[in-house]
C-alpha cells in the first residue's frame, strides 16, 4: 500500500545554490502548481530547488529505505512507492502513476537515470493527461534510443561511430559483428547511461562476458536489455553538446569535456573544453541542433560526440534528459536548465536566442563518490558520520545527502557534485583543489584523494586528456598522493603540534585563546610518516607586547647522531583549529590539514586529499616500541574474499570443481554494477559459503580453496 504523508522540515535546506537563484527568471501568470519528481538523491534535490524558486509545490517519491532521505525532506509531499530494489520502487511505473493520482501532480520531472528515457512511462503519463517534463514519447524513442538515434543521425549526414546500426540478436550475432568491425569494440545498452550496461571488449572472451553482464545491468537499471555494438575509438575525447529546443527553435550551448572516466562513467567534467576551437564548436553545435529539429524535439537534451586528435568528431548518442554534469553549463552561460525544461513542458516558447549563449568564464565538476579509489573504485557503504561541505565564492555543491545519511548497496554511490567556476581554467583548478581540501567526509570511503591527485597531474593541468586518461596515468591503479620530502616534514610538524597541545590541553576552537604559559620550554619528539623518521624539537615562543603568550612555536628538525645538530627550523603559528581541521602557518606559508582519527601517539591526517597515519613518540616511547608484538597478517591466499559489499548474483562453480587462474567464480552486484570475481590461481573448490541472492559485506569469505 502506498503511503502519503506531509514531510516535516527536520533536515536543513541545502545551501550553495546562490548561482541558481541568480539566474534570470520571469514567473508567468500561469504555471504548474505541483510537480512530482520521479527520482532520488542530488538530482531530485536539484529539481526541487528550481521548483521552489518558481513557486511550484513538489512531490517526492521514495523507497522504504529512503524514507529519511534529503529529497524527501525537501518536498512538500512524499509517497513511498515500494521496497529498496529499484525494480520495485523507482522503476515501478504502476506505483508512480498511483502516486501522481493520489497527490494531484500535474507534471513529472524524471531527473536522470531510472525512468528518464523510458517511452512507456511517457505514454502512461500522456494517457492520464499528466505532462512529462522532457521530450514526447516519439522524440524520446527516436533520439533517446541509441539504436534509432544512430539511424536518424546517419540519415541526417552526421558522422557516426562505425558499428552495427540495429539490435544485436544473441551471443553468436554479437561475436560475428565484433569480428567484422575489428577489436576493440564497445558493447552497450540501447537504453543505457551513466556507465551502466557498457563494456569495452578486446577479444571474443571479453565479448562473451561483457555482453552477458551488460545485458543484465541494463535490465536491472533501465528495464530494457536491448544491446548494440560499435567500434571503440581509443585515445579520443568525450565531448558533448547541451541542446534546448521548444519544438521550433533548437539552440546549442558551449560544449562540455567529459573525457576523464572510470568504468565508462564520467568523473571530472569541464566547460568549455581546453581542446576545442570556435570552428569545431559551431559545427558540432549546429549538427546537434539539426538532430533536434529532425524530430521536433521539445526539452533539454545532450548530444554526445567522440572527438579525435585532429578534431574529427563522431556522433555517439543523444541523452534525452538532463545530464548529471549540467551544472557546469549553467555556470558558464548563467541559464537554469531545469527552469527552461519546466517552461517548455508547460508550452512556453524559448525567450533566449543562440546569440545569448556565450561563454562566461570556466567551470569544472568533480563527482564525489562513496567508493574506494585504492581498490579500483569499488563502492563503499555505511553511515556518513561527519559531513562538512566546502563553501565560498566560485563553489557550488549539488548534493543529496546529509550528516547521518546511509549509503546503501541499492543505489548509485554519488555523494555530491562539486562544482567550481571562475574567470579561467587555472583559477577554477585552484578553487577545486581548495574545495577538495576543505571537503570533510567521515564514515564511508570516498574518492576525494583521487580527484585531488588529478588536479595536480601535469597532463590534466595542460588540458591533455583523453578517455584513456585514468588507465594511462594510473596503470597500476590509484596508489595515493605521492608526498614530497617537504610535505612529509609539514605532516610531521602538524602531528607534533597536535601531540604537544593534546598533552597540555591547550588547543581550543579559537587560535587567539590558546595559552602556553605552563608548557615545558623544550620537548623532543620522534615523528614517523610512511618510512621517514624525524627527530623534532618543539617549543613555544613569547610574543612581545602581549600579556598572554599566543600560539607561536619553533620547530627544529635535528640530527640525533650528530649531538642534536639543527638541520632545519621553522616558526609555526596556529591560524585556526576545530575538531576536524587545523590550519598552521609553517615558515610563512599556510597549510590546512584534516584530522580524522587520533590517539595518544597516533594521528590520521588528510593532506592534499589523501589520508596518512603519523605516529609521534617521545624518545622513551620510541625505545619501548621494539618490545611491542608484531601483528600477524591473516593468510587469505586460499580464499575468495568479497572486495565490496553487495549481493551474490550468481555462482559459476560447485564444490569439488577444479578451476584455473582467471576463471569466473561468481558475480557480485553492487550499486547496480555487476562485478565478476575470478579464481586467483589454479585450484580446487573446497567450500562455498554463500548462495545467490545473499547479501555480503566487504572482506567476507565467499569461497575456500584446497
Amino acid at each position: 500500500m502506498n503511503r502519503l504523508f506531509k514531510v516535516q522540515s527536520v533536515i536543513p535546506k541545502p545551501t550553495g545554490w546562490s548561482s541558481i537563484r541568480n539566474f534570470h527568471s520571469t514567473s508567468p501568470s500561469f504555471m504548474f502548481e505541483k510537480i512530482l519528481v520521479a527520482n532520488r538523491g542530488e538530482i531530485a534535490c536539484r529539481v526541487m530547488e528550481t521548483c521552489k524558486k518558481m513557486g511550484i509545490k513538489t512531490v517526492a517519491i521514495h523507497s522504504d529505505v529512503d524514507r529519511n532521505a534529503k529529497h524527501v525532506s525537501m518536498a512538500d509531499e512524499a509517497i513511498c512507492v515500494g521496497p529498496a530494489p529499484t525494480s520495485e520502487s523507482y522503476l515501478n511505473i504502476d506505483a508512480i502513476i498511483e502516486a501522481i493520482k493520489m497527490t494531484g501532480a500535474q507534471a513529472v520531472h524524471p531527473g536522470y537515470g531510472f525512468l528518464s528515457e523510458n517511452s512507456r512511462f511517457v505514454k502512461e503519463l500522456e494517457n492520464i493527461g499528466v505532462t512529462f517534463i522532457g521530450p514526447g514519447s516519439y522524440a524520446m524513442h527516436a533520439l533517446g534510443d541509441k539504436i534509432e538515434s544512430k539511424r536518424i543521425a546517419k540519415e541526417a549526414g552526421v558522422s557516426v561511430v562505425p558499428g552495427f546500426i540495429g539490435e544485436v540478436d544473441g551471443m553468436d550475432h554479437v561475436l560475428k559483428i565484433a569480428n567484422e568491425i575489428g577489436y576493440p569494440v564497445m558493447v552497450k545498452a540501447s537504453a543505457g547511461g551513466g556507465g551502466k550496461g557498457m563494456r569495452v571488449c578486446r577479444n571474443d572472451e571479453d565479448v562473451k562476458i561483457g555482453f552477458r553482464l551488460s545485458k543484465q545491468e541494463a535490465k536491472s537499471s533501465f528495464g530494457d536489455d536491448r544491446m548494440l555494438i560499435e567500434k571503440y575509438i581509443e585515445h579520443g575525447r568525450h565531448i558533448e553538446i547541451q541542446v534546448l529546443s521548444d519544438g521550433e527553435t533548437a539552440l546549442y550551448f558551449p560544449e562540455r569535456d567529459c573525457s576523464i572516466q572510470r568504468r565508462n562513467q564520467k568523473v571530472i567534467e569541464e566547460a568549455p573544453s581546453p581542446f576545442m576551437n570556435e570552428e569545431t564548436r559551431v559545427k558540432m553545435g549546429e549538427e546537434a541542433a539539426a538532430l533536434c529539429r529532425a524530430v521536433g524535439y521539445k526539452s533539454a537534451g545532450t548530444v554526445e560526440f567522440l572527438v579525435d586528435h585532429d578534431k574529427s568528431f563522431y556522433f555517439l548518442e543523444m541523452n534525452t534528459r538532463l545530464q548529471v554534469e549540467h551544472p557546469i553549463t549553467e555556470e558558464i552561460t548563467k541559464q537554469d536548465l531545469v527552469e527552461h525544461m519546466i517552461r517548455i513542458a508547460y508550452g512556453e516558447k524559448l525567450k533566449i536566442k543562440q546569440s545569448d549563449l556565450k561563454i562566461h568564464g570556466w567551470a569544472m565538476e568533480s563527482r564525489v563518490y562513496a567508493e574506494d579509489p585504492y581498490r579500483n573504485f569499488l563502492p563503499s557503504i555505511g553511515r556518513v558520520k561527519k559531513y562538512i561541505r566546502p563553501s565560498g565564492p566560485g563553489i557550488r555543491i549539488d548534493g543529496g545527502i546529509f550528516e547521518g545519511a546511509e549509503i546503501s548497496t541499492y543505489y548509485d554511490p554519488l555523494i555530491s557534485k562539486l562544482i567550481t567556476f571562475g574567470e579561467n581554467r587555472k583559477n577554477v583548478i585552484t578553487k577545486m583543489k581548495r574545495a577538495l581540501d576543505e571537503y570533510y567526509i567521515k564514515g564511508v570511503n570516498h574518492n576525494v584523494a583521487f580527484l585531488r591527485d588529478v588536479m595536480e597531474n601535469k597532463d590534466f593541468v595542460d588540458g591533455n586528456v583523453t578517455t584513456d586518461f585514468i588507465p594511462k596515468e594510473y596503470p597500476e591503479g590509484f596508489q595515493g598522493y605521492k608526498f614530497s620530502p617537504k610535505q612529509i616534514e609539514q605532516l610531521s610538524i602538524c602531528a607534533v603540534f597536535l601531540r604537544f597541545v593534546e598533552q597540555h590541553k591547550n588547543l581550543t576552537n579559537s587560535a587567539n585563546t590558546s595559552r602556553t604559559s605552563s608548557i615545558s620550554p623544550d620537548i623532543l619528539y620522534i615523528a614517523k610518516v610512511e618510512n621517514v623518521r624525524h627527530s623534532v624539537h618543539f617549543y613555544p615562543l613569547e610574543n612581545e607586547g602581549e600579556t598572554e603568550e599566543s600560539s607561536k612555536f619553533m620547530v627544529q628538525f635535528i640530527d640525533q647522531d650528530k649531538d642534536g645538530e639543527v638541520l632545519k627550523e621553522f616558526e609555526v603559528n596556529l591560524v585556526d583549529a576545530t575538531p576536524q581541521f587545523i590550519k598552521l602557518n609553517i615558515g610563512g606559508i599556510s597549510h590546512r590539514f584534516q584530522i580524522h582519527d587520533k590517539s595518544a601517539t597516533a594521528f590520521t591526517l588528510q593532506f592534499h586529499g589523501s589520508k596518512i597515519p603519523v605516529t609521534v613518540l617521545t624518545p622513551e616511547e620510541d625505545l619501548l616500541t621494539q618490545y611491542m608484538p608484531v601483528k600477524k597478517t591473516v593468510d587469505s591466499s586460499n580464499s575468495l574474499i568479497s572486495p565490496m559489499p553487495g549481493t551474490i548474483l550468481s555462482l559459476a562453480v560447485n564444490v569439488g570443481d577444479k578451476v584455473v587462474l582467471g576463471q569466473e567464480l561468481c558475480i557480485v552486484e553492487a550499486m547496480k554494477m555487476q562485478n565478476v570475481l575470478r579464481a586467483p590461481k589454479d585450484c580446487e573448490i573446497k567450500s562455498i559459503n554463500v548462495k545467490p541472492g545473499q547479501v555480503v559485506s566487504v572482506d567476507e569469505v565467499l569461497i575456500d580453496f584446497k
Side-chain angles (χ1 to χ4, degrees):
M1 176 68 69
N2 292 322
R3 179 166 54 90
L4 172 63
F5 58 93
K6 183 71 176 178
V7 178
Q8 302 298 317
S9 299
V10 294
I11 301 172
K13 300 301 181 184
T15 58
W17 287 89
S18 57
S19 56
I20 290 293
R21 294 192 181 102
N22 290 335
F23 291 160
H24 177 69
S25 174
T26 55
S27 297
S29 300
F30 300 97
M31 178 47 70
F32 299 118
E33 295 179 359
K34 186 183 292 186
I35 291 175
L36 182 142
V37 183
N39 216 297
R40 67 179 301 280
E42 67 83 16
I43 189 57
C45 297
R46 165 68 189 90
V47 172
M48 290 174 187
E49 183 71 19
T50 288
C51 288
K52 179 182 178 182
K53 179 185 71 172
M54 298 176 70
I56 301 170
K57 292 182 178 180
T58 55
V59 179
I61 62 168
H62 64 91
S63 66
D64 54 8
V65 298
D66 268 349
R67 65 176 65 88
N68 296 318
K70 183 177 178 180
H71 75 284
V72 174
S73 172
M74 286 184 66
D76 296 287
E77 301 173 61
I79 292 282
C80 180
V81 290
T86 55
S87 60
E88 300 177 47
S89 51
Y90 295 103
L91 290 174
N92 188 341
I93 292 178
D94 292 340
I96 295 171
I97 292 294
E98 183 62 25
I100 294 166
K101 293 177 179 178
M102 291 172 67
T103 58
Q106 300 155 313
V108 173
H109 197 299
Y112 55 74
F114 292 135
L115 296 172
S116 62
E117 295 179 284
N118 188 303
S119 57
R120 182 203 151 199
F121 181 53
V122 179
K123 288 179 181 178
E124 292 281 356
L125 295 179
E126 292 170 351
N127 290 340
I128 62 173
V130 172
T131 302
F132 179 78
I133 301 175
S137 56
Y138 168 72
M140 176 178 288
H141 175 72
L143 292 178
D145 184 280
K146 293 177 176 60
I147 294 172
E148 187 63 23
S149 66
K150 284 183 179 292
R151 291 195 184 103
I152 294 172
K154 191 169 185 178
E155 290 170 2
V158 178
S159 177
V160 300
V161 176
F164 177 73
I165 300 181
E167 180 185 354
V168 291
D169 183 22
M171 187 67 73
D172 292 341
H173 191 204
V174 73
L175 284 168
K176 178 175 180 292
I177 296 170
N179 283 277
E180 289 174 353
I181 296 172
Y183 291 107
V185 298
M186 172 75 82
V187 174
K188 64 182 180 181
S190 179
K196 298 176 179 65
M198 305 171 66
R199 294 290 191 284
V200 176
C201 305
R202 300 184 181 278
N203 51 52
D204 285 4
E205 188 62 29
D206 283 355
V207 169
K208 292 175 183 177
I209 297 169
F211 179 73
R212 173 168 58 89
L213 296 181
S214 297
K215 196 173 179 69
Q216 291 171 355
E217 281 180 2
K219 185 68 174 178
S220 172
S221 298
F222 314 110
D224 184 345
D225 64 354
R226 291 174 302 130
M227 304 298 296
L228 60 87
I229 185 171
E230 63 190 16
K231 181 70 175 178
Y232 177 67
I233 298 176
E234 298 188 279
H235 315 304
R237 284 179 179 258
H238 186 122
I239 295 179
E240 60 190 30
I241 302 292
Q242 175 74 54
V243 292
L244 194 64
S245 178
D246 60 13
E248 297 176 5
T249 301
L251 307 177
Y252 62 87
F253 288 67
E255 78 285 347
R256 298 186 289 252
D257 194 322
C258 310
S259 299
I260 298 184
Q261 305 178 7
R262 56 105 176 91
R263 294 198 298 268
N264 303 306
Q265 189 173 50
K266 303 160 190 172
V267 181
I268 298 173
E269 306 98 342
E270 61 183 304
S273 168
F275 180 70
M276 292 282 277
N277 56 32
E278 187 63 21
E279 179 185 358
T280 309
R281 178 178 295 122
V282 170
K283 188 175 180 182
M284 287 175 66
E286 289 177 344
E287 291 195 8
L291 279 176
C292 294
R293 289 191 290 269
V295 294
Y297 191 83
K298 294 175 65 175
S299 194
T302 298
V303 182
E304 300 191 350
F305 295 92
L306 195 63
V307 183
D308 217 335
H309 62 91
D310 61 356
K311 293 184 173 61
S312 299
F313 57 88
Y314 305 91
F315 171 76
L316 283 174
E317 63 191 45
M318 180 167 181
N319 291 313
T320 58
R321 53 171 168 81
L322 196 64
Q323 290 280 86
V324 176
E325 59 274 15
H326 75 274
I328 55 176
T329 296
E330 292 184 325
E331 294 302 337
I332 66 166
T333 61
K334 306 308 173 188
Q335 300 292 326
D336 185 335
L337 291 170
V338 174
E339 180 175 345
H340 281 301
M341 293 179 74
I342 293 172
R343 294 189 183 284
I344 291 171
Y346 191 72
E348 293 185 19
K349 296 301 180 183
L350 285 169
K351 295 180 175 63
I352 56 174
K353 305 182 295 296
Q354 187 64 56
S355 59
D356 295 324
L357 302 179
K358 302 296 185 184
I359 298 173
H360 301 282
W362 211 280
M364 187 173 291
E365 175 181 285
S366 292
R367 300 191 190 186
V368 180
Y369 284 103
E371 62 185 13
D372 191 345
Y374 300 93
R375 301 178 71 173
N376 197 29
F377 302 98
L378 291 173
S380 174
I381 64 169
R383 187 173 298 279
V384 181
K385 297 177 181 177
K386 193 68 182 177
Y387 186 61
I388 303 174
R389 311 190 326 169
S391 60
I395 296 176
R396 166 180 167 180
I397 295 182
D398 288 14
I401 71 161
F402 50 88
E403 189 169 297
E406 191 79 23
I407 306 292
S408 75
T409 61
Y410 296 106
Y411 310 116
D412 189 271
L414 183 66
I415 292 174
S416 74
K417 301 179 309 195
L418 174 59
I419 303 105
T420 57
F421 51 95
E423 58 187 27
N424 55 53
R425 190 171 187 268
K426 182 179 180 180
N427 171 259
V428 165
I429 291 175
T430 299
K431 288 181 179 179
M432 184 64 76
K433 288 193 288 188
R434 180 176 69 81
L436 289 167
D437 286 343
E438 294 178 359
Y439 213 145
Y440 191 96
I441 306 168
K442 189 172 183 178
V444 294
N445 292 321
H446 54 78
N447 66 336
V448 166
F450 171 76
L451 298 171
R452 183 62 171 77
D453 197 66
V454 171
M455 293 299 138
E456 294 192 11
N457 178 278
K458 185 179 185 304
D459 280 347
F460 175 79
V461 172
D462 293 341
N464 299 323
V465 297
T466 62
T467 54
D468 63 351
F469 173 84
I470 291 179
K472 178 174 73 72
E473 296 297 320
Y474 303 95
E476 303 301 321
F478 179 63
Q479 303 295 318
Y481 186 81
K482 306 301 180 186
F483 291 103
S484 68
K486 188 173 183 178
Q487 290 166 338
I488 293 290
E489 290 175 355
Q490 292 160 356
L491 283 160
S492 296
I493 291 171
C494 178
V496 165
F497 180 90
L498 291 171
R499 172 76 193 266
F500 182 84
V501 296
E502 189 70 22
Q503 278 184 297
H504 296 84
K505 306 298 182 184
N506 281 321
L507 184 62
T508 70
N509 287 337
S510 172
N512 295 324
T513 60
S514 181
R515 302 185 181 183
T516 59
S517 56
S518 63
I519 297 177
S520 174
D522 190 349
I523 301 178
L524 177 64
Y525 291 109
I526 310 299
K528 300 177 181 179
V529 187
E530 294 184 330
N531 295 318
V532 180
R533 173 190 174 97
H534 287 131
S535 297
V536 182
H537 263 142
F538 192 89
Y539 58 90
L541 297 174
E542 294 186 4
N543 294 323
E544 295 181 5
E546 295 185 13
T547 57
E548 293 182 351
E549 296 178 80
S550 64
S551 304
K552 291 187 178 182
F553 303 83
M554 181 59 71
V555 174
Q556 295 177 331
F557 287 83
I558 66 170
D559 188 338
Q560 288 184 294
D561 294 330
K562 295 184 178 180
D563 298 323
E565 177 186 339
V566 177
L567 304 174
K568 293 180 182 180
E569 66 178 13
F570 302 92
E571 183 176 313
V572 178
N573 300 324
L574 173 61
V575 179
D576 190 23
T578 71
Q580 291 80 36
F581 294 95
I582 183 168
K583 189 173 183 180
L584 298 176
N585 186 298
I586 303 173
I589 301 175
S590 291
H591 301 277
R592 181 185 291 270
F593 304 85
Q594 292 189 16
I595 307 167
H596 280 265
D597 293 296
K598 62 181 181 178
S599 64
T601 60
F603 305 87
T604 299
L605 304 177
Q606 186 168 308
F607 192 40
H608 288 266
S610 287
K611 293 178 185 176
I612 184 166
V614 186
T615 302
V616 180
L617 304 170
T618 63
E620 294 79 11
E621 292 167 344
D622 182 53
L623 185 64
L624 291 173
T625 57
Q626 62 182 303
Y627 302 108
M628 297 293 289
V630 178
K631 185 178 179 180
K632 295 181 179 179
T633 57
V634 178
D635 181 14
S636 59
S637 60
N638 285 321
S639 302
L640 178 68
I641 307 295
S642 179
M644 73 207 80
T647 303
I648 301 296
L649 194 66
S650 63
L651 289 164
V653 293
N654 296 302
V655 174
D657 286 355
K658 289 182 170 57
V659 297
V660 297
L661 173 68
Q663 183 175 332
E664 178 182 327
L665 301 181
C666 65
I667 297 176
V668 177
E669 184 175 51
M671 296 176 177
K672 299 188 288 185
M673 297 292 287
Q674 296 183 7
N675 306 274
V676 178
L677 303 188
R678 302 179 181 280
K681 59 183 179 180
D682 295 353
C683 56
E684 181 179 337
I685 305 299
K686 178 181 179 181
S687 62
I688 298 175
N689 307 317
V690 293
K691 57 185 178 182
Q694 182 175 330
V695 176
V696 297
S697 59
V698 65
D699 293 331
E700 184 171 339
V701 177
L702 308 180
I703 297 173
D704 291 309
F705 310 126
K706 285 187 178 179

